[in-house]
Short mmCIF file of all heavy atoms in Angstrom, two decimals:
data_model
loop_
_atom_site.label_atom_id
_atom_site.label_comp_id
_atom_site.label_asym_id
_atom_site.label_seq_id
_atom_site.Cartn_x
_atom_site.Cartn_y
_atom_site.Cartn_z
N SER A 13 3.35 13.55 -0.71
CA SER A 13 3.56 13.74 0.74
C SER A 13 4.10 12.44 1.32
O SER A 13 3.98 11.38 0.74
CB SER A 13 2.26 14.18 1.41
OG SER A 13 1.28 13.18 1.27
N VAL A 14 4.68 12.56 2.50
CA VAL A 14 5.18 11.39 3.23
C VAL A 14 4.16 11.04 4.28
O VAL A 14 3.77 11.89 5.11
CB VAL A 14 6.55 11.64 3.83
CG1 VAL A 14 7.06 10.39 4.55
CG2 VAL A 14 7.55 12.09 2.75
N ASN A 15 3.71 9.78 4.29
CA ASN A 15 2.65 9.36 5.20
C ASN A 15 3.03 8.09 5.94
O ASN A 15 3.62 7.17 5.34
CB ASN A 15 1.37 9.09 4.40
CG ASN A 15 0.93 10.27 3.56
OD1 ASN A 15 0.14 11.07 4.00
ND2 ASN A 15 1.45 10.39 2.34
N ASP A 16 2.70 8.04 7.20
CA ASP A 16 2.79 6.76 7.97
C ASP A 16 1.45 6.07 7.82
O ASP A 16 0.44 6.55 8.35
CB ASP A 16 3.11 7.03 9.42
CG ASP A 16 4.54 7.51 9.60
OD1 ASP A 16 5.41 7.11 8.83
OD2 ASP A 16 4.80 8.33 10.55
N CYS A 17 1.46 4.93 7.14
CA CYS A 17 0.20 4.23 6.81
C CYS A 17 0.14 2.89 7.49
O CYS A 17 1.00 2.04 7.29
CB CYS A 17 0.13 4.05 5.28
SG CYS A 17 0.22 5.56 4.33
N GLN A 18 -0.92 2.68 8.26
CA GLN A 18 -1.13 1.40 8.94
C GLN A 18 -1.72 0.39 7.98
O GLN A 18 -2.57 0.70 7.15
CB GLN A 18 -2.06 1.60 10.13
CG GLN A 18 -2.16 0.34 11.01
CD GLN A 18 -3.00 0.57 12.24
OE1 GLN A 18 -4.08 1.14 12.17
NE2 GLN A 18 -2.53 0.10 13.37
N ILE A 19 -1.25 -0.85 8.09
CA ILE A 19 -1.79 -1.94 7.30
C ILE A 19 -3.11 -2.39 7.91
O ILE A 19 -3.15 -2.80 9.08
CB ILE A 19 -0.82 -3.12 7.22
CG1 ILE A 19 0.49 -2.70 6.58
CG2 ILE A 19 -1.44 -4.30 6.46
CD1 ILE A 19 1.58 -3.79 6.62
N LEU A 20 -4.18 -2.32 7.13
CA LEU A 20 -5.51 -2.72 7.61
C LEU A 20 -5.90 -4.11 7.16
O LEU A 20 -6.71 -4.78 7.81
CB LEU A 20 -6.56 -1.72 7.17
CG LEU A 20 -6.35 -0.26 7.57
CD1 LEU A 20 -7.47 0.61 7.07
CD2 LEU A 20 -6.23 -0.15 9.10
N ALA A 21 -5.34 -4.56 6.03
CA ALA A 21 -5.63 -5.89 5.52
C ALA A 21 -4.48 -6.30 4.62
O ALA A 21 -3.80 -5.46 4.00
CB ALA A 21 -6.94 -5.90 4.71
N HIS A 22 -4.25 -7.62 4.54
CA HIS A 22 -3.11 -8.13 3.72
C HIS A 22 -3.46 -9.54 3.28
O HIS A 22 -3.44 -10.47 4.08
CB HIS A 22 -1.83 -8.13 4.54
CG HIS A 22 -0.59 -8.01 3.71
ND1 HIS A 22 0.69 -7.92 4.26
CD2 HIS A 22 -0.40 -8.02 2.36
CE1 HIS A 22 1.58 -7.86 3.27
NE2 HIS A 22 0.95 -7.93 2.14
N TYR A 23 -3.88 -9.69 2.02
CA TYR A 23 -4.34 -10.97 1.50
C TYR A 23 -3.32 -11.59 0.58
O TYR A 23 -2.75 -10.91 -0.28
CB TYR A 23 -5.68 -10.76 0.74
CG TYR A 23 -6.79 -10.25 1.60
CD1 TYR A 23 -7.13 -8.89 1.52
CD2 TYR A 23 -7.49 -11.08 2.45
CE1 TYR A 23 -8.20 -8.40 2.31
CE2 TYR A 23 -8.52 -10.57 3.26
CZ TYR A 23 -8.87 -9.23 3.15
OH TYR A 23 -9.89 -8.74 3.92
N LYS A 24 -3.11 -12.88 0.72
CA LYS A 24 -2.20 -13.64 -0.14
C LYS A 24 -3.02 -14.44 -1.16
O LYS A 24 -4.00 -15.09 -0.80
CB LYS A 24 -1.33 -14.57 0.68
CG LYS A 24 -0.31 -15.35 -0.18
CD LYS A 24 0.57 -16.25 0.64
CE LYS A 24 1.56 -16.99 -0.21
NZ LYS A 24 2.45 -17.90 0.57
N TYR A 25 -2.56 -14.44 -2.41
CA TYR A 25 -3.18 -15.21 -3.48
C TYR A 25 -2.13 -16.12 -4.11
O TYR A 25 -0.94 -16.08 -3.78
CB TYR A 25 -3.77 -14.28 -4.52
CG TYR A 25 -4.89 -13.42 -4.01
CD1 TYR A 25 -4.62 -12.17 -3.41
CD2 TYR A 25 -6.21 -13.83 -4.07
CE1 TYR A 25 -5.65 -11.41 -2.90
CE2 TYR A 25 -7.26 -13.06 -3.56
CZ TYR A 25 -6.96 -11.85 -2.96
OH TYR A 25 -7.97 -11.07 -2.43
N GLU A 26 -2.59 -16.96 -5.04
CA GLU A 26 -1.65 -17.87 -5.70
C GLU A 26 -0.56 -17.13 -6.42
O GLU A 26 -0.69 -15.96 -6.75
CB GLU A 26 -2.44 -18.77 -6.67
CG GLU A 26 -3.35 -19.79 -6.04
CD GLU A 26 -3.95 -20.73 -7.06
OE1 GLU A 26 -3.22 -21.54 -7.63
OE2 GLU A 26 -5.18 -20.66 -7.29
N ALA A 27 0.56 -17.84 -6.65
CA ALA A 27 1.71 -17.30 -7.40
C ALA A 27 2.35 -16.14 -6.70
O ALA A 27 2.84 -15.19 -7.34
CB ALA A 27 1.30 -16.95 -8.83
N GLU A 28 2.30 -16.14 -5.36
CA GLU A 28 2.94 -15.11 -4.54
C GLU A 28 2.46 -13.70 -4.89
O GLU A 28 3.23 -12.77 -4.97
CB GLU A 28 4.47 -15.22 -4.65
CG GLU A 28 5.03 -16.53 -4.12
CD GLU A 28 6.53 -16.52 -4.03
OE1 GLU A 28 7.19 -16.15 -5.01
OE2 GLU A 28 7.07 -16.86 -2.94
N GLN A 29 1.15 -13.56 -5.04
CA GLN A 29 0.53 -12.29 -5.30
C GLN A 29 -0.18 -11.84 -4.00
O GLN A 29 -0.78 -12.66 -3.29
CB GLN A 29 -0.50 -12.37 -6.43
CG GLN A 29 0.16 -12.77 -7.76
CD GLN A 29 -0.92 -13.01 -8.84
OE1 GLN A 29 -1.15 -12.14 -9.67
NE2 GLN A 29 -1.51 -14.17 -8.82
N TYR A 30 -0.16 -10.53 -3.76
CA TYR A 30 -0.74 -9.98 -2.53
C TYR A 30 -1.55 -8.71 -2.81
O TYR A 30 -1.20 -7.95 -3.72
CB TYR A 30 0.34 -9.65 -1.54
CG TYR A 30 1.10 -10.84 -0.96
CD1 TYR A 30 2.11 -11.44 -1.73
CD2 TYR A 30 0.81 -11.36 0.29
CE1 TYR A 30 2.81 -12.54 -1.21
CE2 TYR A 30 1.50 -12.44 0.79
CZ TYR A 30 2.50 -13.04 0.05
OH TYR A 30 3.19 -14.10 0.52
N ILE A 31 -2.59 -8.51 -2.04
CA ILE A 31 -3.30 -7.23 -2.04
C ILE A 31 -3.24 -6.69 -0.63
O ILE A 31 -3.64 -7.38 0.32
CB ILE A 31 -4.75 -7.37 -2.52
CG1 ILE A 31 -4.81 -7.78 -4.01
CG2 ILE A 31 -5.52 -6.06 -2.30
CD1 ILE A 31 -6.20 -7.97 -4.56
N ILE A 32 -2.74 -5.48 -0.49
CA ILE A 32 -2.56 -4.86 0.81
C ILE A 32 -3.41 -3.59 0.88
O ILE A 32 -3.45 -2.82 -0.09
CB ILE A 32 -1.06 -4.57 1.09
CG1 ILE A 32 -0.86 -4.10 2.53
CG2 ILE A 32 -0.49 -3.58 0.10
CD1 ILE A 32 0.64 -4.04 2.91
N THR A 33 -4.09 -3.39 1.99
CA THR A 33 -4.91 -2.20 2.22
C THR A 33 -4.22 -1.34 3.27
O THR A 33 -3.92 -1.82 4.37
CB THR A 33 -6.32 -2.54 2.68
OG1 THR A 33 -6.95 -3.36 1.69
CG2 THR A 33 -7.15 -1.28 2.89
N LEU A 34 -3.99 -0.07 2.92
CA LEU A 34 -3.29 0.87 3.79
C LEU A 34 -4.17 2.05 4.11
O LEU A 34 -4.98 2.46 3.25
CB LEU A 34 -1.99 1.33 3.17
CG LEU A 34 -0.92 0.23 2.92
CD1 LEU A 34 0.17 0.76 1.95
CD2 LEU A 34 -0.31 -0.18 4.22
N ALA A 35 -3.98 2.64 5.29
CA ALA A 35 -4.80 3.77 5.71
C ALA A 35 -4.04 5.07 5.44
O ALA A 35 -2.92 5.25 5.91
CB ALA A 35 -5.14 3.67 7.19
N SER A 36 -4.65 5.94 4.67
CA SER A 36 -4.14 7.30 4.47
C SER A 36 -5.24 8.12 3.80
O SER A 36 -5.47 7.95 2.60
CB SER A 36 -2.87 7.35 3.63
OG SER A 36 -2.55 8.70 3.31
N LYS A 37 -5.82 9.02 4.52
CA LYS A 37 -6.89 9.87 3.96
C LYS A 37 -6.31 10.73 2.85
O LYS A 37 -6.97 10.92 1.78
CB LYS A 37 -7.48 10.74 5.07
CG LYS A 37 -8.73 11.49 4.69
CD LYS A 37 -9.33 12.21 5.91
CE LYS A 37 -10.68 12.82 5.61
NZ LYS A 37 -10.63 13.85 4.56
N GLU A 38 -5.11 11.22 3.02
CA GLU A 38 -4.52 12.13 2.04
C GLU A 38 -4.26 11.40 0.71
O GLU A 38 -4.58 11.93 -0.36
CB GLU A 38 -3.20 12.70 2.58
CG GLU A 38 -2.61 13.80 1.71
CD GLU A 38 -1.64 14.69 2.42
OE1 GLU A 38 -1.37 14.42 3.60
OE2 GLU A 38 -1.12 15.60 1.79
N ILE A 39 -3.68 10.21 0.77
CA ILE A 39 -3.41 9.44 -0.46
C ILE A 39 -4.73 9.05 -1.12
O ILE A 39 -4.88 9.12 -2.35
CB ILE A 39 -2.52 8.24 -0.18
CG1 ILE A 39 -1.10 8.72 0.21
CG2 ILE A 39 -2.42 7.34 -1.38
CD1 ILE A 39 -0.15 7.61 0.59
N ALA A 40 -5.69 8.58 -0.32
CA ALA A 40 -6.96 8.14 -0.89
C ALA A 40 -7.66 9.28 -1.62
O ALA A 40 -8.26 9.10 -2.68
CB ALA A 40 -7.85 7.59 0.20
N GLU A 41 -7.59 10.49 -1.09
CA GLU A 41 -8.29 11.61 -1.71
C GLU A 41 -7.58 12.22 -2.89
O GLU A 41 -8.22 12.78 -3.79
CB GLU A 41 -8.51 12.74 -0.62
CG GLU A 41 -9.54 12.33 0.46
CD GLU A 41 -9.77 13.48 1.43
OE1 GLU A 41 -8.95 14.42 1.43
OE2 GLU A 41 -10.72 13.40 2.20
N ASN A 42 -6.25 12.08 -2.96
CA ASN A 42 -5.47 12.80 -3.98
C ASN A 42 -5.01 11.91 -5.13
O ASN A 42 -4.53 12.42 -6.15
CB ASN A 42 -4.26 13.46 -3.35
CG ASN A 42 -4.66 14.66 -2.48
OD1 ASN A 42 -5.26 15.61 -2.95
ND2 ASN A 42 -4.26 14.60 -1.21
N THR A 43 -5.14 10.59 -5.01
CA THR A 43 -4.61 9.69 -6.06
C THR A 43 -5.49 9.70 -7.30
O THR A 43 -6.71 9.55 -7.23
CB THR A 43 -4.48 8.28 -5.52
OG1 THR A 43 -3.53 8.27 -4.44
CG2 THR A 43 -3.96 7.32 -6.60
N GLN A 44 -4.84 9.83 -8.45
CA GLN A 44 -5.52 9.71 -9.74
C GLN A 44 -5.11 8.41 -10.41
O GLN A 44 -3.99 7.89 -10.19
CB GLN A 44 -5.16 10.88 -10.65
CG GLN A 44 -5.61 12.25 -10.12
CD GLN A 44 -7.10 12.32 -9.94
OE1 GLN A 44 -7.86 11.93 -10.82
NE2 GLN A 44 -7.53 12.86 -8.81
N PRO A 45 -5.96 7.81 -11.25
CA PRO A 45 -5.62 6.54 -11.89
C PRO A 45 -4.30 6.63 -12.68
O PRO A 45 -4.06 7.56 -13.44
CB PRO A 45 -6.78 6.31 -12.87
CG PRO A 45 -7.92 7.01 -12.23
CD PRO A 45 -7.35 8.22 -11.58
N GLY A 46 -3.40 5.68 -12.42
CA GLY A 46 -2.10 5.66 -13.07
C GLY A 46 -1.00 6.15 -12.15
O GLY A 46 0.18 5.92 -12.46
N GLN A 47 -1.32 6.80 -11.08
CA GLN A 47 -0.28 7.24 -10.14
C GLN A 47 0.14 6.05 -9.25
O GLN A 47 -0.53 5.03 -9.17
CB GLN A 47 -0.80 8.40 -9.29
CG GLN A 47 -0.97 9.71 -10.02
CD GLN A 47 -1.30 10.85 -9.13
OE1 GLN A 47 -2.27 10.82 -8.39
NE2 GLN A 47 -0.44 11.88 -9.15
N PHE A 48 1.28 6.23 -8.57
CA PHE A 48 1.80 5.16 -7.74
C PHE A 48 2.34 5.74 -6.42
O PHE A 48 2.38 6.97 -6.24
CB PHE A 48 2.93 4.44 -8.49
CG PHE A 48 4.17 5.24 -8.73
CD1 PHE A 48 5.26 5.22 -7.89
CD2 PHE A 48 4.24 6.06 -9.86
CE1 PHE A 48 6.38 5.99 -8.14
CE2 PHE A 48 5.37 6.84 -10.13
CZ PHE A 48 6.44 6.81 -9.25
N VAL A 49 2.67 4.85 -5.52
CA VAL A 49 3.28 5.25 -4.23
C VAL A 49 4.65 4.58 -4.14
O VAL A 49 4.94 3.59 -4.81
CB VAL A 49 2.41 4.87 -3.03
CG1 VAL A 49 1.10 5.64 -3.04
CG2 VAL A 49 2.14 3.36 -2.99
N HIS A 50 5.49 5.17 -3.30
CA HIS A 50 6.85 4.65 -3.06
C HIS A 50 6.92 4.32 -1.58
O HIS A 50 6.89 5.23 -0.75
CB HIS A 50 7.87 5.73 -3.44
CG HIS A 50 9.18 5.21 -3.88
ND1 HIS A 50 10.35 5.81 -3.57
CD2 HIS A 50 9.52 4.11 -4.60
CE1 HIS A 50 11.37 5.16 -4.10
NE2 HIS A 50 10.87 4.12 -4.72
N LEU A 51 6.97 3.05 -1.23
CA LEU A 51 6.81 2.68 0.16
C LEU A 51 7.99 1.88 0.71
O LEU A 51 8.69 1.13 0.02
CB LEU A 51 5.53 1.89 0.39
CG LEU A 51 5.44 0.44 -0.10
CD1 LEU A 51 4.24 -0.23 0.55
CD2 LEU A 51 5.27 0.36 -1.62
N SER A 52 8.21 2.09 2.02
CA SER A 52 9.20 1.30 2.73
C SER A 52 8.64 -0.10 2.90
O SER A 52 7.46 -0.26 3.15
CB SER A 52 9.51 1.93 4.09
OG SER A 52 8.35 1.97 4.91
N VAL A 53 9.50 -1.09 2.79
CA VAL A 53 9.02 -2.46 2.92
C VAL A 53 9.34 -3.06 4.27
O VAL A 53 8.63 -3.95 4.77
CB VAL A 53 9.58 -3.37 1.79
CG1 VAL A 53 9.06 -2.91 0.44
CG2 VAL A 53 11.11 -3.35 1.78
N SER A 54 10.40 -2.56 4.90
CA SER A 54 10.80 -3.05 6.24
C SER A 54 11.88 -2.17 6.78
O SER A 54 12.42 -1.30 6.04
CB SER A 54 11.29 -4.50 6.18
OG SER A 54 12.60 -4.55 5.60
N GLY A 55 12.26 -2.36 8.00
CA GLY A 55 13.38 -1.62 8.61
C GLY A 55 14.70 -2.14 8.14
O GLY A 55 15.74 -1.54 8.43
N MET A 56 14.70 -3.24 7.42
CA MET A 56 15.96 -3.86 6.99
C MET A 56 16.48 -3.29 5.68
O MET A 56 17.68 -3.33 5.43
CB MET A 56 15.73 -5.38 6.79
CG MET A 56 15.21 -6.09 8.03
SD MET A 56 16.46 -6.22 9.31
CE MET A 56 17.60 -7.39 8.57
N LEU A 57 15.58 -2.73 4.86
CA LEU A 57 15.98 -2.21 3.55
C LEU A 57 15.70 -0.71 3.49
O LEU A 57 14.58 -0.28 3.74
CB LEU A 57 15.23 -2.94 2.43
CG LEU A 57 15.53 -4.41 2.22
CD1 LEU A 57 14.63 -4.97 1.13
CD2 LEU A 57 16.99 -4.62 1.83
#
């Protein structure tokens, strides 16, 4: 499904690594280990 997900947290770690927390009840409930999401990164791309 296509979801508008708000960023709730965004942490930066060494070596330009990040962990981002997004809000989506539908994705949280339906995701199985190994699945992925396809997300927009900005309005520029």
Side-chain angles (χ1 to χ4, degrees):
S13 61
V14 182
N15 304 267
D16 289 328
C17 302
Q18 187 176 45
I19 299 174
L20 302 181
H22 205 176
Y23 298 102
K24 181 179 181 180
Y25 297 88
E26 291 187 67
E28 296 190 311
Q29 298 174 99
Y30 293 79
I31 293 178
I32 188 170
T33 301
L34 296 165
S36 171
K37 190 174 188 297
E38 187 161 3
I39 291 177
E41 289 183 346
N42 289 302
T43 298
Q44 297 300 315
Q47 290 187 303
F48 65 96
V49 294
H50 208 217
L51 72 165
S52 62
V53 295
S54 74
M56 303 289 291
L57 293 176

